[in-house]
Amino acid sequence: QVQLVESGGGLVQAGGSLRLSCAASGSIFSINDMGWYRQAPGKRRELVATITRGGVPNYADSVKGRFTISRDNAKNTVYLQMNSLKPEDTAVYLCNAEVAKYGLGYTGYWGQGTQVTVSS
């Protein structure tokens, strides 16, 4: 009974900013890596950014210098601050987390996604 729920998507003009949130809930013992992925129409899903339990981030080259990933382990939440948005950033953004339930090892979970649309 683990679920991830994203929020914060919407419509923004090029050059604007959005902040995405993803909260994990349920029978959670601990969470290892968390990350954000995106999928645009007609394209395959791609990695945007990941962050380790200790807070070490990794970014796709296309978003370096513009996006910042962070997390609050006490709240089981990961964030994605998106600045200087471009039309090419338009996609459904999905949250991913490696979650350990009580008495079990880690397995991956996905949220349902939140739409980000950047207009020119």
Side-chain angles (χ1 to χ4, degrees):
Q1 303 89 31
V2 175
Q3 65 175 1
L4 278 61
V5 179
E6 302 99 332
S7 62
L11 175 64
V12 65
Q13 292 187 354
S17 299
L18 286 173
R19 184 174 185 258
L20 307 183
S21 299
C22 172
S25 62
S27 302
I28 298 172
F29 176 72
S30 65
I31 303 178
N32 197 24
D33 290 357
M34 304 184 80
W36 290 95
Y37 295 72
R38 66 187 182 187
Q39 188 162 22
K43 300 184 67 177
R44 64 181 60 184
R45 187 175 299 178
E46 65 175 347
L47 184 148
V48 177
T50 60
I51 185 168
T52 70
R53 184 190 303 170
V56 180
N58 184 55
Y59 299 96
D61 289 341
S62 60
V63 306
K64 284 182 178 178
R66 300 188 298 121
F67 291 9
T68 302
I69 189 170
S70 61
R71 65 190 289 171
D72 185 338
N73 291 339
K75 300 174 66 175
N76 289 332
T77 300
V78 63
Y79 307 93
L80 186 68
Q81 178 67 48
M82 304 185 294
N83 299 325
S84 301
L85 282 162
K86 305 174 180 179
E88 307 92 89
D89 296 318
T90 296
V92 174
Y93 283 70
L94 302 107
C95 177
N96 175 266
E98 292 290 319
V99 178
K101 301 177 70 174
Y102 293 103
L104 300 175
Y106 287 98
T107 190
Y109 289 86
W110 291 92
Q112 291 187 330
T114 185
Q115 177 70 46
V116 172
T117 302
V118 184
S119 64
S120 59

